[in-house]
Amino acid sequence: MKQVILKILSIVFQYIDELLCKLHLKRPVVMVYMDGGICSQMLIYIHGQYYAEHGLDVYYDDYWWGINGKDQYGSMARTFELTEMWPNLEFKTPSKWQRKWYLLFFKAKRINGDMLPIPESVKHSIYLNEYWDLPAIEYDRLFAKTFILRNSIIPTEYSHNKYDNVVGVHVRRGDLAKGDNPYYGGVTDGYFMRAIEFCNQQFTPKKYIFFSDEPDWVENNICNQLEKSYEIMRNNKAWEDLWLLSQCPVIVASQGSFGKYAARLNPNAVLIQCDNKYAWRDRENTYFIQ
């Protein structure tokens, strides 16, 4: 009975909202659910900007970090850092009651699979729950327009470092260390050693820099086999590691999005990826390792 009442109220409130928008008494509100680490934050921010540039009123629901802020196993922290890296981004958040209102009565229906509704089709306010897809051409355009490295904060500790002839390696462990994740896929431990051997042959780097949520595992399972100089980043914020990795001329990506996002921030970097169905295949200057 409760669900029936909510459905009826949703129809009524959406009709009223659409009428007010048609009369230009308000603009449609698009409220976007957010969670996860820095790359997820960047992805969802782009979703909001997809609507903001068409004149819709966008709010970002950041409630998740107040009640959770952990990976899917509840072991590793995920903090909101997007506006630490890009403090000039426009980022409006809803009040507690705004969030409840739109979540209850304006949740968007997934009519076309998981693809975001096109802005022209939005006639009344909507709440975009969970993750949606965006056409690749729009995603690439908005990423390049929104996330510009020269507009980001530079980590003070590393601002004068040189990254010539350095390979940055992201080793994603944590909640993606086991199995074949349905979104990101998986990599074997041997992938990293094969990628490093490839880099040794192709680029003769003078140093490797490792970024990982399990630095001790990297030390004991990868670095103890290296003949090259190396450094393991520890105790940085995620956005600081993302900035540092993006400075490396060669980037070895793990199964997650972190390495690939660093390569998006630096289109001139060489990207090394695992050759599986989840690889970023339309990028130039990339190599695939089994």
Side-chain angles (χ1 to χ4, degrees):
M1 185 64 180
K2 180 181 177 181
Q3 294 302 317
V4 174
I5 294 174
L6 285 175
K7 186 174 182 179
I8 293 171
L9 289 175
S10 296
I11 293 171
V12 172
F13 292 143
Q14 289 175 22
Y15 173 79
I16 294 172
D17 192 271
E18 182 173 346
L19 180 61
L20 292 174
C21 292
K22 188 178 295 185
L23 295 172
H24 303 290
L25 297 176
K26 70 181 294 290
R27 293 187 300 177
V29 168
V30 177
M31 193 169 292
V32 187
Y33 169 84
M34 299 188 81
D35 67 7
I38 184 66
C39 294
S40 294
Q41 296 163 34
M42 293 167 71
L43 171 67
I44 301 303
Y45 188 82
I46 286 175
H47 289 176
Q49 293 307 292
Y50 181 53
Y51 297 100
E53 69 176 15
H54 285 81
L56 280 70
D57 201 2
V58 175
Y59 287 82
Y60 294 95
D61 179 5
D62 61 349
Y63 181 69
W64 182 83
W65 285 281
I67 60 169
N68 191 331
K70 300 285 186 179
D71 65 16
Q72 62 180 321
Y73 295 142
S75 59
M76 296 193 174
R78 300 288 185 263
T79 56
F80 181 74
E81 300 177 5
L82 181 65
T83 52
E84 289 188 58
M85 190 168 185
W86 282 281
N88 293 328
L89 292 179
E90 184 176 352
F91 191 83
K92 291 194 300 185
T93 59
S95 68
K96 179 175 71 173
W97 295 110
Q98 281 178 309
R99 177 186 180 274
K100 287 185 176 181
W101 175 263
Y102 288 106
L103 181 59
L104 270 176
F105 302 120
F106 292 89
K107 191 181 296 185
K109 297 179 180 178
R110 295 179 182 264
I111 298 173
N112 186 23
D114 289 334
M115 194 63 66
L116 283 170
I118 61 173
E120 293 80 6
S121 72
V122 178
K123 305 302 182 184
H124 59 71
S125 299
I126 56 174
Y127 182 97
L128 297 169
N129 196 30
E130 305 298 339
Y131 282 66
W132 297 66
D133 291 327
L134 184 65
I137 189 170
E138 287 294 307
Y139 175 76
D140 292 343
R141 179 183 67 81
L142 285 166
F143 192 102
K145 174 183 176 182
T146 305
F147 300 119
I148 302 171
L149 266 182
R150 66 175 179 270
N151 294 340
S152 71
I153 295 296
I154 300 174
T156 305
E157 183 178 354
Y158 308 104
S159 59
H160 301 296
N161 289 13
K162 300 295 183 182
Y163 297 93
D164 298 337
N165 204 20
V166 168
V167 174
V169 184
H170 178 244
V171 183
R172 173 70 183 265
R173 299 283 298 166
D175 54 5
L176 296 188
K178 298 179 180 178
D180 187 24
N181 183 277
Y183 186 79
Y184 293 111
V187 298
T188 64
D189 296 347
Y191 158 75
F192 297 104
M193 294 310 303
R194 290 190 292 274
I196 288 168
E197 181 59 30
F198 176 81
C199 291
N200 286 339
Q201 295 173 2
Q202 293 289 323
F203 311 111
T204 59
K206 64 182 181 183
K207 182 179 179 179
Y208 285 89
I209 303 178
F210 291 90
F211 305 83
S212 180
D213 44 10
E214 293 187 22
D216 291 336
W217 186 94
V218 173
E219 179 83 53
N220 297 327
N221 292 274
I222 298 178
C223 295
N224 62 359
Q225 303 179 56
L226 291 183
E227 297 179 358
K228 298 275 187 178
S229 174
Y230 69 85
E231 181 179 3
I232 302 175
M233 288 294 124
R234 299 175 185 266
N235 303 319
N236 284 341
K237 292 186 175 183
W239 76 265
E240 293 174 322
D241 278 348
L242 182 64
W243 186 91
L244 285 166
L245 184 56
S246 72
Q247 304 305 301
C248 298
V250 180
I251 297 170
V252 176
S254 190
Q255 69 269 44
S257 55
F258 200 86
K260 296 168 187 174
Y261 270 52
R264 284 187 179 275
L265 291 171
N266 181 5
N268 295 321
V270 173
L271 176 62
I272 313 296
Q273 302 181 70
C274 180
D275 190 8
N276 60 26
K277 65 180 181 179
Y278 305 95
W280 178 15
R281 296 198 175 276
D282 60 352
R283 185 187 191 271
E284 296 182 357
N285 207 18
T286 189
Y287 296 88
F288 300 95
I289 304 294
Q290 281 285 0

